[in-house]
Amino acid sequence: MKLKASLALAFGLAAGLANAAPTELVIATVNNGHMIEMQKLGKNFEQANPDIKLKWVTLEEGVLRQRVTTDIATKGGQFDVMTIGMYETPIWGKKGWLQELKTDAAYDVDDLLPAMRNGLSVDGKLYAAPFYGESSMLMYRKDLADKVGVTVPDRPTWVQIKDLAAKIHDPKNGVYGICLRGKPGWGDNMAFLSTLVNTYGGQWFDMSWKPQLESKPWNDAITFYVDLLKNYGPPGSSANSFNEILALTNAGKCGMWIDATIAASFVSDPKQSKVADKMAFAQAPTAVTPKGANWLWAWSLAIPAGSKKVDAAQKFVNWATSKEYIQLVGKTNGWAAVPTGTRKSTYANADFQKAAKFAAAEKMAIDSANPNDSTLPKSPYVGVQFAAIPEFQAIGIAVGQQMSSALAGKTSVEAALKAGQTAAEREMKKAGYYK
């Protein structure tokens, strides 16, 4: 009897251990193609780690930002892994809201592109791992440029871009010289316009944190932009964002487009684009200075400081941002579909180079973007197309609305910049940056 009892007890303990509930990781992410693919491939992670179960909360970009910001600021603990960007990471890392990431030798942190690693670090410590990264660049119809006898250089100027836009603009035949973002938002029209202002020699704030919207570089940049789109852009540009312009470009209606490098894989994909074989790529245009002419962004995975499941979360973050994950996507979906902009090894891969004709231009753009030195005059903030301070969201939204109004012809450039300056000063004074 004793033997039976002890066997039953031993069996019961073993069964109990076998049936121990797996750790559930709640992952907040954005509803774009690369992340949806990560969810599908998540089963591979679960098979390799049967003690971890993944639960996905997939949200539209604006909603995601709100939810994760509220959760982390209130220590809500809803999420174990968050998808955040290069704007949030340095702010939250500095505040102690994020777990420092621990990577092992197999992860090869030195393989991360320096621009990505630096943009997601605070004082040399990595607080988010890049899932995919991007800069901005010029995507253009080479057939149209050839037709008018223009060779686009690898590093064009805005003057050259305007000249080409004038030559290829043919609205009667449904082709517009250039398409650019106009929809208001700090991460929308202002992401592009900040880079334009940078290259015109401007900045958001001077070293005393005084907003600079009524300065000459801002006036020159915004005047140029409004004239350019008024003369050579599609109608309704003030409502166009990434997705609208992507659709226009894929339909063959945009002669040129300056936007996120991630778009290159879509516009050169014959399944999506009518002009895939006609597209060519170059660096974002420059004006007075090359500084800050092209932005830098990474959608990244981070672990909130208060997480009770750090080890499991760290395991998942390491897997989803690893070389092996990129190989898995390459094998599963083809090398043109891999998340780009994060690792040196991706760009060194012959299969990737063959599949992605934009690879060299994309890597050059990312390598040249420096969030710690993105303006001609010295600036007190980190960031290329944003200033990494909590107040910037509100300022960027207010200014973005004014710029969109100027583009729509509802207000003058001067009046829009004056209103933007007033809004920015109010926010900065309220936050105590200056009196």
Side-chain angles (χ1 to χ4, degrees), residues 88-137:
E88 298 90 349
T89 304
I91 298 173
W92 295 358
K94 212 170 267 177
K95 282 179 184 279
W97 290 358
L98 300 174
Q99 196 78 33
E100 184 193 344
L101 296 184
K102 301 281 185 247
T103 55
D104 56 16
Y107 184 80
D108 191 5
V109 75
D110 292 331
D111 184 48
L112 295 178
L113 295 175
M116 294 298 154
R117 190 176 171 183
N118 295 340
L120 299 169
S121 297
V122 179
D123 299 328
K125 293 174 180 173
L126 192 66
Y127 284 98
F131 179 67
Y132 78 77
E134 64 180 39
S135 182
S136 52
M137 66 180 177

Side-chain angles (χ1 to χ4, degrees), residues 52-84:
I52 301 173
K53 182 133 188 54
L54 306 178
K55 184 183 175 188
W56 300 91
V57 178
T58 311
L59 304 162
E60 183 271 319
E61 187 177 321
V63 181
L64 173 84
R65 286 189 205 283
Q66 273 175 327
R67 289 274 301 273
V68 299
T69 303
T70 303
D71 190 62
I72 202 152
T74 58
K75 297 188 169 58
Q78 271 185 294
F79 308 115
D80 303 299
V81 176
M82 294 175 160
T83 305
I84 63 174

Side-chain angles (χ1 to χ4, degrees), residues 86 90 94 114-124 207 291-292 296 368-386 388:
M86 245 181 214
K94 212 170 267 177
M116 294 298 154
R117 190 176 171 183
N118 295 340
L120 299 169
S121 297
V122 179
D123 299 328
M207 289 305 288
K291 277 191 180 193
L296 189 69
S368 69
N370 182 356
N372 296 305
D373 183 21
S374 62
T375 57
L376 192 57
K378 204 164 157 45
S379 293
Y381 54 88
V382 171
V384 184
Q385 77 280 24
F386 55 80

Side-chain angles (χ1 to χ4, degrees), residues 19 99 125 132 170 247 256 287 298-299 302 339 391 401:
N19 294 328
Q99 196 78 33
K125 293 174 180 173
Y132 78 77
D170 187 8
M256 288 183 279
W299 277 119
E391 296 71 25
Q401 284 162 346

